[in-house]
Amino acid sequence: WGSYHLIDEYENDFESRAVSIVYESIHPFAKVEFPTISVCDLYNKYELGEEIEKFVADLDPCGMDCYKFEIETHIAFILYPHFYHDGVIRGRCEQYENCGENCAKCPANNYRGLLERFGANCSSMFIECSLSYKSFDCCSYFLPLITPFGKCFLLNSLQNNKRDSSTWFDNLIDPAYQKPIMTISAKRPIQVSILNEEDVPHYALPTVKVEIMQPGQRKGFQFFIENMVNDPGVRDISPRHRQCRFSDELMEDTAFKAYSFSSCMADCVRQHQMALCNCTAYSLMPTSMDKYPDCDLKGYMCLERNYMVKRDAKPLLPWSDSNYTCTCLPSCTENDIRLVYESQSELERGAKDIRVEIMMSNLPSECYRRQALRSRLDAVVTIGGILGLFLGASLLSGLEFIYYFTIRLWNDLNKARRRQ
């Protein structure tokens, strides 16, 4: 009984107390990776675009003379999910539902198609990009992705790229001769965020970010990053006990290519939306899924009645008293990124572009390391020691026991048959 009790206790402790996080130094001349950058298109109510204005005008037989600004605003909510506020879809669309065939109505479906048609593309977004004052082609490395925030372009993201692909940007900084600074020039209002490579931009989750709206505006901000490194043995421990998931440990029915806390929250909200209204907001899925159809206008009105179009993060947390909570673990490779300084906006008269400078305030000198305190070999050794202490047995004697009643018994029976 004593050996069973100790082995049972050890097995319980093996996973529940098998991980430790330590703080360690980095070599002062080690190369540093510049983090993932996302550039998201922002809503500009003064310049939504001529194509959208023409589209809205064509919805009504009398054209621009009967232009419906309410429908234009509804389309803006669809194209820019971060701009949405509770109640606005019904407030702007219900009034035109019963006006007959000769008046404009809100688009009834294919909202993902509207984003593909009217959303920003790379050439209409970027002017110039550089890292360590060395220019590179923005559109070759900033790849588009539909996110909960809206249409974004991500540099070195596992959600729409791979490390060994030709579109993965070489973001290593050599402190001996390179400065960790990135400059982005754009043609239209943008939000620039610093992310982990497995994250997605999300309207409800805090990130280090800056928004720039006005042509000629110049803005800079500095950040500090401390990386999380994992020992190989950490993977042998279940996510429930190590309290994190690696990017390749995907959830069931996920819409994303890599696991992260932000993608898990998007998946969770999508599941709640599907249960309530039998459809989901298209912005919660980078690509369409047959199992989770995109909501049409009636679907969005259903989500709006249940306050699920743009769900805040706080009621989704497991310890909230909401009926719709999420149990999402952090990513095992989630780095600690902190804003250090944000400059005042400067306006360059006569300039039409927008410019952002992103800089590491200091190169990281320490990092976090998640390490496994026990391995499977440790478990074998410990269990063997317990058996030896209480039973005078070991792993070899256990193998000998099995051998005696299998191979040895079979050989003895064969010899007996030959003698007969």
Side-chain angles (χ1 to χ4, degrees):
W1 181 88
S3 61
Y4 169 79
H5 177 72
L6 286 179
I7 291 173
D8 184 61
E9 286 291 322
Y10 181 80
E11 283 294 320
N12 292 333
D13 290 344
F14 176 76
E15 289 193 329
S16 61
R17 301 178 184 177
V19 172
S20 173
I21 297 177
V22 298
Y23 199 55
E24 62 182 21
S25 299
I26 302 174
H27 193 281
F29 298 106
K31 292 183 178 181
V32 178
E33 281 191 351
F34 205 84
T36 297
I37 303 295
S38 76
V39 179
C40 298
D41 191 22
L42 285 181
Y43 170 66
N44 184 359
K45 64 180 180 180
Y46 301 109
E47 190 176 346
L48 196 56
E50 294 181 0
E51 292 183 358
I52 295 179
E53 292 179 359
K54 184 179 184 304
F55 175 77
V56 175
D58 291 344
L59 293 174
D60 200 298
C62 61
M64 291 297 296
D65 294 334
C66 304
Y67 193 85
K68 300 293 192 300
F69 287 97
E70 293 87 354
I71 297 179
E72 178 190 283
T73 306
H74 168 69
I75 294 176
F77 290 134
I78 297 300
L79 299 180
Y80 303 96
H82 65 275
F83 180 56
Y84 171 83
H85 301 286
D86 285 335
V88 296
I89 295 178
R90 286 179 294 165
R92 282 162 175 76
C93 294
E94 278 187 340
Q95 58 183 312
Y96 298 116
E97 286 300 296
N98 300 316
C99 66
E101 297 181 357
N102 295 322
C103 73
K105 297 181 178 64
C106 292
N109 50 36
N110 194 26
Y111 292 146
R112 189 181 296 271
L114 288 179
L115 181 67
E116 293 174 357
R117 179 177 175 182
F118 300 120
N121 55 47
C122 187
S123 59
S124 67
M125 175 81 75
F126 293 97
I127 298 176
E128 185 180 13
C129 303
S130 68
L131 178 63
S132 299
Y133 305 109
K134 183 179 180 181
S135 297
F136 63 90
D137 183 17
C138 306
C139 294
S140 294
Y141 300 102
F142 278 94
L143 305 184
L145 185 73
I146 297 175
T147 73
F149 187 87
K151 181 74 173 287
C152 297
F153 296 84
L154 278 69
L155 176 73
N156 290 2
S157 172
L158 295 178
Q159 299 294 349
N160 60 356
N161 207 345
K162 294 181 180 179
R163 279 189 169 271
D164 56 352
S165 71
S166 60
T167 53
W168 191 272
F169 182 64
D170 183 11
N171 59 344
L172 283 177
I173 302 293
D174 191 334
Y177 64 93
Q178 290 179 307
K179 192 172 183 180
I181 182 171
M182 179 175 286
T183 304
I184 299 173
S185 297
K187 301 176 183 177
R188 53 196 296 163
I190 56 173
Q191 175 187 277
V192 179
S193 305
I194 304 173
L195 305 173
N196 295 292
E197 62 183 13
E198 67 274 2
D199 273 329
V200 293
H202 200 293
Y203 54 80
L205 299 176
T207 55
V208 176
K209 61 187 177 183
V210 63
E211 295 183 355
I212 301 186
M213 302 289 297
Q214 191 174 352
Q217 191 174 358
R218 308 290 185 252
K219 188 111 176 157
F221 67 103
Q222 298 180 13
F223 69 95
F224 181 68
I225 184 170
E226 289 179 314
N227 296 325
M228 173 66 77
V229 182
N230 294 274
D231 286 347
V234 174
R235 281 188 175 269
D236 296 332
I237 302 166
S238 66
R240 183 171 67 91
H241 289 102
R242 65 170 122 95
Q243 286 296 294
C244 68
R245 282 184 177 272
F246 287 95
S247 59
D248 57 351
E249 294 176 333
L250 299 177
M251 302 290 288
E252 186 179 359
D253 285 339
T254 183
F256 298 91
K257 294 182 178 180
Y259 177 86
S260 65
F261 182 79
S262 53
S263 66
C264 177
M265 292 292 281
D267 281 332
C268 176
V269 173
R270 175 170 53 84
Q271 299 280 358
H272 290 317
Q273 290 180 346
M274 190 68 187
L276 287 168
C277 300
N278 205 32
C279 68
T280 63
Y282 79 92
S283 58
L284 297 179
M285 297 179 291
T287 57
S288 59
M289 299 175 66
D290 294 337
K291 189 176 179 180
Y292 298 91
D294 294 341
C295 285
D296 55 13
L297 180 58
K298 291 182 179 179
Y300 268 96
M301 287 185 176
C302 173
L303 295 179
E304 195 167 67
R305 286 192 295 271
N306 290 280
Y307 302 98
M308 288 296 293
V309 176
K310 183 181 175 182
R311 192 73 171 171
D312 290 335
K314 190 174 181 180
L316 295 172
L317 298 176
W319 50 82
S320 72
D321 56 359
S322 170
N323 293 326
Y324 308 104
T325 59
C326 302
T327 305
C328 291
L329 295 174
S331 169
C332 291
T333 55
E334 189 173 279
N335 302 319
D336 183 17
I337 304 173
R338 300 190 296 271
L339 178 66
V340 176
Y341 169 76
E342 182 176 340
S343 68
Q344 293 289 333
S345 294
E346 297 180 0
L347 194 62
E348 185 177 327
R349 292 185 178 181
K352 296 183 179 180
D353 68 318
I354 289 171
R355 189 179 305 159
V356 183
E357 285 191 351
I358 312 156
M359 181 179 178
M360 284 188 187
S361 59
N362 292 298
L363 292 173
S365 56
E366 290 90 14
C367 72
Y368 296 100
R369 177 178 291 278
R370 183 182 284 107
Q371 56 187 7
L373 299 180
R374 302 179 183 91
S375 66
R376 284 296 171 188
L377 180 60
D378 296 330
V380 172
V381 172
T382 303
I383 292 172
I386 294 172
L387 292 175
L389 176 64
F390 284 89
L391 305 177
S394 67
L395 181 61
L396 288 177
S397 60
L399 293 174
E400 192 176 72
F401 181 82
I402 296 171
Y403 164 78
Y404 184 82
F405 286 101
T406 55
I407 299 175
R408 178 68 178 271
L409 179 61
W410 184 75
N411 286 333
D412 290 343
L413 291 174
N414 279 342
K415 289 179 180 179
R417 289 194 191 98
R418 290 194 194 102
R419 292 193 193 99
Q420 292 175 359

